[in-house]
Amino acid sequence: MSALPPNATIGIVGGGQLGRMSALAAARLGYRCHILTPERDAPASQVSAGTTLSHYEDEEALRDFAGRVDVITFEFENVSAEGLDLLASLRPVRPSPTVLRISQDRVAEKSFLNATGVATAPWLPVTTPAELDAAIRTLGFPAILKTTRLGYDGKGQAMLRGPDDLAEAFENLSPKPLILEGFVDFGCEISVIVARGLDGGMAAFDTVENRHRDHILDLTLAPARIPTETAATAEAMARKVADGLGLVGLLALEMFVTADGRVVANEIAPRPHNSGHWTIDACPASQFEMHIRAVAGLPLPEASRHSDAVMKNLVGPEETALWPDILATPGLVPHLYGKAEARPGRKMGHVTRLFPRGGLPGPFGIADALGETLGAALAPSST
Ligand code: AMP
């Protein structure tokens, strides 16, 4: 299969910021993008050649969308796999609906990871209170009960600290299929983003460290401040996952580094990822360019970085209100996604600060690094 020629159109299912930044990268490579989204004036639509305004299950709209594009990708996992099957019968869809299905279901995901030889937290599927009792006897406390599907940013999960927590957690999360995971006592959370091309060639960005606030990504530090061997282990795991999936496209593997230095996989996101936004400013080819290149059948350059970086998400009204200060602070690279309303918990944009390679500040320098005026307001979470 040959590379997509310049001026061809890439269809993106989903209209959020990941689609927006993918479309901007596609434009630089001479492609047009056409977005499928139910949302009017979506962030991705604002920077794309066209939009099909529709839900993801509307067969007529899906056929119309496919007719307007040469190849199709998606920018978030909560799209309909059946809709993607229909699209795949009409145009190449990269990554494939099979990859989407695995990432949409925590049981399928963890089964795949374990079968591929990638360690995860111990886990058991749960559909009834009796199964939960049996699972907790096997895995012990503490443990985390999660819905198998449609969870994000900490939604659809409950921490189980002791027997008193079981009934309420089950009540809140059922009747959806659930999974019980053993609690991982992690020292830090990391991720690796890897692209895999049509020819099976891969490019992996350096392992990064992620810090969350209220279950939402707050900061990414590139590179992760972990031993070189641990970072290499994480990268090897991500490559193994991309290869095992036969991925054509890009994925993020989210992982934990345990207190005793082991790397444990948590989640696969088969799309550009928030923990890769730093690559726009710190790498010759960003995660979004890699995504578009892989989807378009272009060669993949090395995923090298010319700088170290800290990426800070701008979430909700308070952080978005800092925009004028951010613009006035030298050294901050600002990104805004074009969302009309800054609702609490909504990712509105991000800011990147670059450092010379090897110059990432120590654990206490990050708030300062984000700029003196913003130091207090943007002070990172401690977790
Ligand atoms: P998830 O929805 O699986 O990405 O989980 C959201 C967050 O919950 C993760 O980023 C972790 O901080 C935490 N978490 C999830 N699963 C576990 C686990 N098995 N052990 C410890 N913490 C977890």
Side-chain angles (χ1 to χ4, degrees):
M1 163 83 208
S2 56
L4 200 64
N7 299 319
T9 302
I10 299 174
I12 301 179
V13 179
Q17 64 268 21
L18 302 175
R20 177 187 179 95
M21 290 183 273
S22 297
L24 291 171
R28 204 156 61 86
L29 295 173
Y31 296 126
R32 290 148 206 267
C33 286
H34 188 95
I35 308 300
L36 174 70
T37 174
E39 187 195 345
R40 220 169 266 285
D41 194 36
S45 298
Q46 293 168 13
V47 301
S48 293
T51 293
T52 298
L53 252 193
S54 166
H55 288 281
Y56 304 118
E57 293 84 20
D58 181 333
E59 189 177 327
E60 202 181 319
L62 290 174
R63 288 184 184 280
D64 177 77
F65 169 71
R68 295 171 189 274
V69 305
D70 300 295
V71 64
I72 294 170
T73 188
F74 51 88
E75 63 110 42
F76 78 131
E77 290 105 293
N78 294 342
V79 301
S80 140
E82 290 70 32
L84 221 53
D85 285 338
L86 172 62
L87 292 175
S89 71
L90 302 166
R91 290 287 181 273
V93 172
R94 299 169 182 153
S96 70
T98 308
V99 171
L100 177 75
R101 281 198 166 81
I102 291 172
S103 71
Q104 277 181 332
D105 183 300
R106 292 185 195 272
V107 168
E109 184 175 58
K110 292 221 158 49
S111 303
F112 164 80
L113 287 168
N114 295 160
T116 312
V118 172
T120 61
W123 60 275
L124 286 166
V126 165
T127 49
T128 62
E131 280 177 10
L132 178 56
D133 285 343
I136 204 79
R137 275 197 298 278
T138 306
L139 301 183
F141 292 107
I144 302 187
L145 189 62
K146 302 179 180 178
T147 55
T148 58
R149 300 174 69 87
L150 300 180
Y152 66 97
D153 289 345
K155 294 188 172 63
Q157 52 181 273
M159 177 83 166
L160 307 180
R161 292 193 170 78
D164 293 348
D165 296 338
L166 295 188
E168 190 185 333
F170 187 85
E171 176 80 23
N172 286 344
L173 298 174
S174 64
K176 300 191 176 106
L178 306 176
I179 181 172
L180 186 71
E181 293 181 19
F183 182 79
V184 179
D185 180 18
F186 60 82
C188 72
E189 296 190 67
I190 59 172
S191 56
V192 170
I193 291 172
V194 57
R196 187 173 178 279
L198 272 179
D199 62 358
M202 287 190 272
F205 290 97
D206 288 315
T207 307
V208 298
E209 188 175 330
N210 300 316
R211 300 203 186 165
H212 297 82
R213 191 204 288 260
D214 300 332
H215 298 288
I216 298 172
L217 185 67
D218 180 33
L219 288 175
T220 295
L221 313 183
R225 290 165 309 167
I226 55 177
T228 316
E229 316 80 71
T230 313
T233 301
E235 182 180 323
M237 284 165 67
R239 286 175 179 270
K240 207 168 176 178
V241 169
D243 231 11
L245 287 171
L247 178 81
V248 178
L250 179 111
L251 67 75
L253 184 64
E254 298 177 24
M255 292 161 275
F256 304 118
V257 181
T258 63
D260 57 1
R262 284 177 306 116
V263 182
V264 173
N266 181 35
E267 260 189 343
I268 305 168
R271 51 164 172 79
H273 192 258
N274 198 167
S275 70
H277 291 0
W278 63 277
T279 61
I280 300 175
D281 303 307
C283 301
S286 72
Q287 66 159 345
F288 299 101
E289 177 170 339
M290 288 288 188
H291 175 216
I292 294 299
R293 278 180 176 255
V295 166
L298 300 181
L300 300 180
E302 213 187 312
S304 58
R305 68 171 210 285
H306 51 69
S307 303
D308 288 0
V310 175
M311 188 285 309
K312 167 84 178 90
N313 266 341
L314 298 177
V315 179
E318 287 87 19
E319 293 184 349
T320 307
L322 300 169
W323 188 245
D325 297 329
I326 290 166
L327 292 174
T329 304
L332 296 184
V333 189
H335 298 257
L336 210 54
Y337 306 147
K339 298 182 184 178
E341 201 192 335
R343 291 193 288 273
R346 199 172 194 207
K347 293 173 183 169
M348 301 299 290
H350 71 270
V351 177
T352 311
R353 176 83 192 252
L354 299 180
F355 301 88
R357 273 184 71 111
L360 198 62
F364 305 109
I366 289 160
D368 291 346
L370 286 165
E372 269 176 36
T373 34
L374 305 177
L378 294 187
S381 52
S382 54
T383 54

